[in-house]
Amino acid sequence: AQSVSQHNHHVILSEAASLELGCNYSYGGTVNLFWYVQYPGQHLQLLLKYFSGDPLVKGIKGFEAEFIKSKFSFNLRKPSVQWSDTAEYFCAVNAHTNAGKSTFGDGTTLTVKP
Amino acid sequence: DTAVSQTPKYLVTQMGNDKSIKCEQNLGHDTMYWYKQDSKKFLKIMFSYNNKELIINETVPNRFSPKSPDKAHLNLHINSLELGDSAVYFCASSHGGGELFFGEGSRLTVL
């Protein structure tokens, strides 16, 4: 079975600080990887995704993530956060052989102080 | 036009009642899902339908019954509501194993 682990439950940063959120997954086969963001009171929306190719993927709002296959990791980064980045961030994995089922990590709450 | 729409957005009801949530997507996706997000924001898949056929049924009490009349609709009916059913229920759709497009959520409060 696939599983996802997000190591940081709550991260608090000041504006302009750099961000890195950890994500590790457990699955031996080929996977698709995603980061979703949920702004307060809203639904989840896609930040970025990795299916294949260049392991460094860029998403919306200046976010990027790097897939490191040997470490089963897909960490999310942003060089300089803004107050508007305050949200819940979810890493998700979707195994190619698992009927399209996406498994989510427990989420990381990011609070950016102005 | 909203891509994935759910109704109602809020439900407040008493224990023991039955309630339904409706979901519709206009993206032409073949696969639709129900996810439950609890008070700690944990997100767990409940069901998935592909072209009206149930393909994922996680360990969910049989008080929860999904129905997909066509591939653009996936409804969720809950019988005999319990306090622990209080959560936000998200409908989502996707094309194959691609990214999920979520609805705005239906916040269920059981008193």
Side-chain angles (χ1 to χ4, degrees):
Chain A
Q2 61 200 36
S3 65
V4 180
S5 175
Q6 292 183 238
H7 314 298
N8 319 100
H9 295 293
H10 195 173
V11 173
I12 302 173
L13 296 171
S14 298
E15 275 194 315
S18 64
L19 169 73
E20 180 158 3
L21 300 182
C23 173
N24 285 89
Y25 68 93
S26 172
Y27 185 75
T30 306
V31 295
N32 297 329
L33 296 157
F34 309 85
W35 276 98
Y36 291 88
V37 61
Q38 185 177 26
Y39 296 106
Q42 295 189 26
H43 64 288
L44 283 84
Q45 53 189 289
L46 184 73
L47 264 183
L48 47 77
K49 61 187 176 187
Y50 172 81
F51 284 6
S52 64
D54 189 344
L56 183 63
V57 292
K58 294 190 185 300
I60 60 171
K61 304 187 180 187
F63 286 91
E64 65 178 33
E66 184 175 12
F67 170 50
I68 303 179
K69 189 174 180 179
S70 61
K71 295 184 178 180
F72 297 90
S73 69
F74 190 55
N75 293 354
L76 180 71
R77 299 194 291 251
K78 185 171 184 179
S80 176
V81 294
Q82 301 173 315
W83 176 79
S84 58
D85 292 325
T86 294
E88 195 80 18
Y89 291 81
F90 293 92
C91 181
V93 62
N94 179 324
H96 283 197
T97 57
N98 204 1
K101 170 185 169 182
S102 285
T103 300
F104 285 77
D106 288 343
T108 297
T109 303
L110 172 65
T111 302
V112 180
K113 296 180 179 177
Chain B
D1 272 347
T2 305
V4 182
S5 58
Q6 302 176 222
T7 54
K9 288 187 169 46
Y10 299 96
L11 304 93
V12 180
T13 189
Q14 301 287 330
M15 272 196 306
N17 285 350
D18 304 338
K19 286 293 177 187
S20 293
I21 307 171
K22 295 186 176 182
C23 179
E24 176 182 1
Q25 55 96 4
N26 63 8
L27 297 166
H29 290 160
D30 289 332
T31 310
M32 295 185 71
Y33 310 80
W34 279 110
Y35 278 84
K36 178 181 179 181
Q37 186 174 47
D38 64 21
S39 58
K40 294 183 179 179
K41 303 278 187 170
F42 298 155
L43 201 62
K44 301 294 182 198
I45 190 168
M46 300 174 69
F47 301 104
S48 173
Y49 271 75
N50 181 269
N51 211 5
K52 301 193 299 176
E53 182 182 344
L54 180 67
I55 55 171
I56 295 173
N57 184 350
E58 292 293 293
T59 309
V60 176
N62 57 15
R63 298 182 294 105
F64 290 78
S65 52
K67 279 197 172 64
S68 181
D70 55 61
K71 73 174 192 176
H73 295 84
L74 179 61
N75 303 324
L76 182 66
H77 187 76
I78 315 169
N79 290 326
S80 303
L81 280 157
E82 300 177 358
L83 292 176
D85 297 332
S86 294
V88 181
Y89 292 85
F90 285 101
C91 177
S93 72
S94 74
H95 177 68
E99 68 195 79
L100 293 167
F101 290 79
F102 285 88
E104 294 188 354
S106 298
R107 181 176 293 277
L108 171 65
T109 303
V110 182
L111 303 174

